[in-house]
Amino acid sequence: AKIDRLLHPDSIGIIGASATRLNFGRITLKNIIASGYDRSRLRVINPDGQEVDGVKCAPGLGALEQKLDLLILAVTADVAFGIIDEVIKTDAAESVLLIPGGMGETEASREPARRMLATIDDARRATGRGPVFVGGNCLGIISHPGNFDSWFIPEERLPRTQKKARRTSALISQSGAFLVTRLSKNAWLDPDYMVAVGNQNDITHSDMVENFVDNPNIHVIGA
């Protein structure tokens, strides 16, 4: 159910979208808006409360009007580790995309990543709460049925399709660069879903395959 919210979110929040410069979070926000997602269902979590690209801001997770289906963390790894604790304590989201690298794939980050996973597991055992996490080191997700594109690749570097034809395929990859390369070399390729799982700290290829197997609209899964 939480993976379904991840792929078809009724609400999306972003931490790390700058109001003053074009950083990863701001690019992600612009791509979500450009893909047709309703601005009124978007929130930027920003202590300054400054509106970003026409999207309302909340000063913190505790100030959100309702629980988010998807929260995107476009911040550095050291900041993300701290935010994850807050996400679980406030029960702020059903799913989380972890954009930053350095969350388990490097020697220095393995112990913080281990503590993060222990926190996630403890929350699930004790309360049944806690979101599912995709990443870290994650390019993001494109979901045509969910009407959003959360990749942080600018439009000029990777032109997006117009979603003119309904597709029946899904692509899953550890590497976002692999997906980008496939798309840039094959302009006709436009799966319904493209999921970059990154480090697989929580959600794995297998979790996504199981989800798509149960989706009657998906006939082909590429992993």
Side-chain angles (χ1 to χ4, degrees):
K2 290 178 186 287
I3 292 176
D4 185 66
R5 299 285 187 90
L6 166 76
L7 296 173
H8 314 103
D10 284 336
S11 56
I12 300 176
I14 301 180
I15 298 179
S18 172
T20 58
R21 60 191 177 89
L22 195 62
N23 62 350
F24 283 158
R26 184 78 173 273
I27 292 170
T28 300
L29 178 65
K30 286 181 175 293
N31 285 339
I32 293 172
I33 294 169
S35 62
Y37 198 84
D38 185 352
R39 277 184 173 90
S40 68
R41 296 192 283 137
L42 280 165
R43 286 293 180 272
V44 173
I45 290 80
N46 181 352
D48 296 333
Q50 196 170 351
E51 190 175 275
V52 183
D53 293 330
V55 175
K56 290 182 179 179
C57 291
L61 293 173
L64 292 167
E65 304 99 327
Q66 61 185 20
K67 187 174 183 177
L68 297 167
D69 278 348
L70 172 60
L71 175 64
I72 300 171
L73 298 190
V75 294
T76 59
D78 57 331
V79 174
F81 282 127
I83 293 173
I84 287 166
D85 288 338
E86 186 181 356
V87 171
I88 292 173
K89 287 176 183 176
T90 58
D91 197 26
E94 299 285 4
S95 63
V96 179
L97 279 181
L98 299 173
I99 301 299
M103 299 194 76
E105 76 276 17
T106 63
E107 185 66 36
S109 68
R110 282 173 192 154
E111 180 56 25
R114 187 198 64 75
R115 292 196 300 269
M116 173 188 72
L117 292 177
T119 299
I120 294 169
D121 288 344
D122 288 345
R124 289 176 181 162
R125 289 192 188 99
T127 65
R129 300 195 311 175
V132 293
F133 292 83
V134 176
N137 198 21
C138 168
L139 175 63
I141 291 173
I142 293 177
S143 168
H144 290 338
N147 204 38
F148 78 99
D149 172 351
S150 70
W151 286 10
F152 57 81
I153 304 296
E155 176 73 20
E156 62 270 18
R157 292 185 60 188
L158 181 68
R160 304 302 204 268
T161 63
Q162 297 303 308
K163 301 181 282 186
K164 291 179 180 177
R166 183 59 190 267
R167 305 298 184 182
T168 58
S169 58
L171 291 185
I172 310 161
S173 174
Q174 179 276 324
S175 166
F178 180 88
L179 292 177
V180 170
T181 302
R182 300 282 82 69
L183 291 181
S184 63
K185 290 184 177 180
N186 302 279
W188 55 269
L189 187 62
D190 186 25
D192 245 9
Y193 303 91
M194 284 173 281
V195 181
V197 292
N199 293 351
Q200 303 177 83
N201 283 342
D202 186 30
I203 292 296
T204 66
H205 281 80
S206 299
D207 296 316
M208 297 309 306
V209 168
E210 286 184 5
N211 178 271
F212 290 131
V213 164
D214 291 335
N215 185 331
N217 296 317
I218 296 301
H219 302 166
V220 177
I221 302 170

